[in-house]
Amino acid sequence: MLEISLLANTGFNPFNAILCMCGFSSAGVCLAISLKAKKKEIRAIGPSATASALLGIGEPALFGVILRYGLKPFLLSCSINGIAGMTAMLLGMKGTGNGITTIPGMLLYIYSPNQIIKYVILAAIVFVSAFVLTWLFAVPPEVTAADAPTGSKSAPAPASAAFPSVLGAVAKGTVVPMTEIPDPTFSQGVLGICCGVTPAEGKVYAPMNGTISQLADTLHALGIEAGGVELLIHVGVDTVDMNGDGFKSHVKEGQAVKKGDLLLTMDLEKIKKAGHPTTIIVAVTNSDDLSSVEAAASGAVNPGDQLLALQA
C-alpha cells in the first residue's frame, strides 16, 4: 500500500531501491555458500538459486541455501542490505514502479542517467560485499563437509542396480502434490521434480532398492542412489532447526537398502510442537537427466504404493 500510495502521489517509489538491494545481497551470500560448499545438495541448488535471486525471485536462495544451516548468513545479508538501503535513501534513489527488483528492477531507473548509474554501482558493491564477507566469515561449516561414506561395513548395492521405473510411497499417509508442498524450494522444483506425503505415523521407508548416498547429521534428510536415479528424502519442512531431536536413523551412509526397508523414525508430535509441517518430500534431484518424472498417486497411500513414475 505504501508503494502504491507513493507512486500515486509523487510518481516515484523509494522503497523499491531497498528491495532491489536486498535481492543483490541475498544473491551474493547464496553464491558464496554454493561455491564454497562440498555438500552435493547445496552445490546443486546454489547456482540456480543465485540466478533466481538476481532475477527477483529470492525464495529459493533464502529458504534453499541461506537459512538451511543456521542464521549467520541470513543476519549478514540483512546487515548488508540495511546499510545498502540507507545508502540508497541518502543518494535519493527512487524507482518509477513496483513489483520488480534486482536486474529487472533496473527498468525502473532508466528514466534518469544519474539514477541508473547509482543503481548499477550500488548493486555491484552490495553483491560483491555480500559474496566476499560471506566467503570469509559466514559460510556454515556444515556445507563445507564433504558427502563421504562413513566407513559402514554394510555391503553396497550392486553397481548394476536396476533403473527404478516406479518409486514407492515412503510412508503411510496422504499424497501432497509438488505445487502444494509448504516449502518453495521444493514446490518450485528447485531441487528437481518431487512429491510429498503427509505421514499418519512416524516411519519413513525406502522407495526403491539402492544405496544410502548421504545422511544429514541432523537426521532430517537422506539421499538414495540406484540405476542412474538420485533421490533426496526430506522429512518435514525446516526441521534442520531441530538438530536431530525427535529423529532416529536406521541406516548409515554407504548401506544397501531394499524397497520397503525402514530408513528413519521421527516423533510427529515434536515436529508439530516445533511449528514445522511434517510433510515427507521425495525429490528426484537429477530429474533433468530423465525423460519423464510424473506423479503416480493421489489421496491416501501405504508404504510401497506407487508414488512417482520414472522414465530413463
Side-chain angles (χ1 to χ4, degrees):
M1 290 192 300
L2 289 172
E3 290 182 283
I4 294 172
S5 177
L6 284 167
L7 287 168
N9 288 281
T10 69
F12 295 102
N13 174 17
F15 287 116
N16 179 262
I18 300 176
L19 298 175
C20 290
M21 294 309 116
C22 178
F24 286 112
S25 175
S26 295
V29 172
C30 180
L31 183 62
I33 294 174
S34 61
L35 291 182
K36 201 169 185 179
K38 294 183 180 179
K39 281 190 173 293
K40 291 194 296 183
E41 178 183 355
I42 299 299
R43 292 184 68 86
I45 68 174
S48 60
T50 300
S52 294
L54 289 173
L55 293 175
I57 304 172
E59 288 82 2
L62 180 61
F63 297 107
V65 178
I66 296 174
L67 283 173
R68 181 76 56 184
Y69 294 97
L71 288 175
K72 184 183 289 186
F74 174 69
L75 294 176
L76 175 63
S77 178
C78 289
S79 300
I80 294 171
N81 184 54
I83 296 171
M86 179 182 68
T87 303
M89 294 299 98
L90 292 174
L91 292 174
M93 293 172 57
K94 49 190 178 182
T96 55
N98 69 317
I100 58 175
T101 59
T102 53
I103 292 176
M106 294 172 64
L107 296 172
L108 303 180
Y109 297 82
I110 59 176
Y111 68 91
S112 166
N114 184 49
Q115 286 284 325
I116 191 63
I117 289 172
K118 290 178 181 178
Y119 187 97
V120 171
I121 292 175
L122 184 58
I125 292 173
V126 169
F127 180 81
V128 172
S129 299
F131 178 89
V132 172
L133 291 175
T134 302
W135 183 278
L136 295 176
F137 305 112
V139 174
E142 294 91 337
V143 306
T144 59
D147 290 318
T150 59
S152 170
K153 295 182 180 179
S154 301
S160 59
F163 176 85
S165 58
V166 175
L167 300 181
V170 292
K172 178 180 180 180
T174 305
V175 173
V176 180
M178 184 174 81
T179 56
E180 297 179 15
I181 292 174
D183 185 331
T185 300
F186 293 101
S187 64
Q188 295 177 13
V190 173
L191 292 178
I193 298 176
C194 59
C195 189
V197 175
T198 300
E201 57 184 18
K203 295 181 179 180
V204 182
Y205 300 91
M208 67 177 187
N209 299 339
T211 302
I212 303 299
S213 57
Q214 57 180 311
L215 177 63
D217 295 337
T218 51
L219 306 181
H220 73 290
L222 57 81
I224 305 179
E225 295 182 354
V229 174
E230 300 174 3
L231 297 185
L232 171 66
I233 299 176
H234 195 286
V235 182
V237 175
D238 294 331
T239 44
V240 64
D241 296 338
M242 298 180 67
N243 293 315
D245 184 28
F247 294 86
K248 180 180 179 181
S249 173
H250 299 273
V251 294
K252 298 179 180 179
E253 288 185 12
Q255 179 177 336
V257 295
K258 294 182 179 179
K259 184 176 181 179
D261 284 353
L262 182 63
L263 303 178
L264 302 169
T265 52
M266 68 279 193
D267 189 326
L268 295 179
E269 291 305 314
K270 276 192 175 182
I271 296 175
K272 293 176 182 177
K273 287 181 180 179
H276 302 300
T278 59
T279 307
I280 303 171
I281 304 152
V282 180
V284 183
T285 56
N286 67 330
S287 54
D288 288 343
D289 299 332
L290 306 181
S291 298
S292 174
V293 179
E294 296 181 353
S298 61
V301 290
N302 288 308
D305 289 352
Q306 290 190 12
L307 185 68
L308 290 169
L310 314 181
Q311 291 184 10

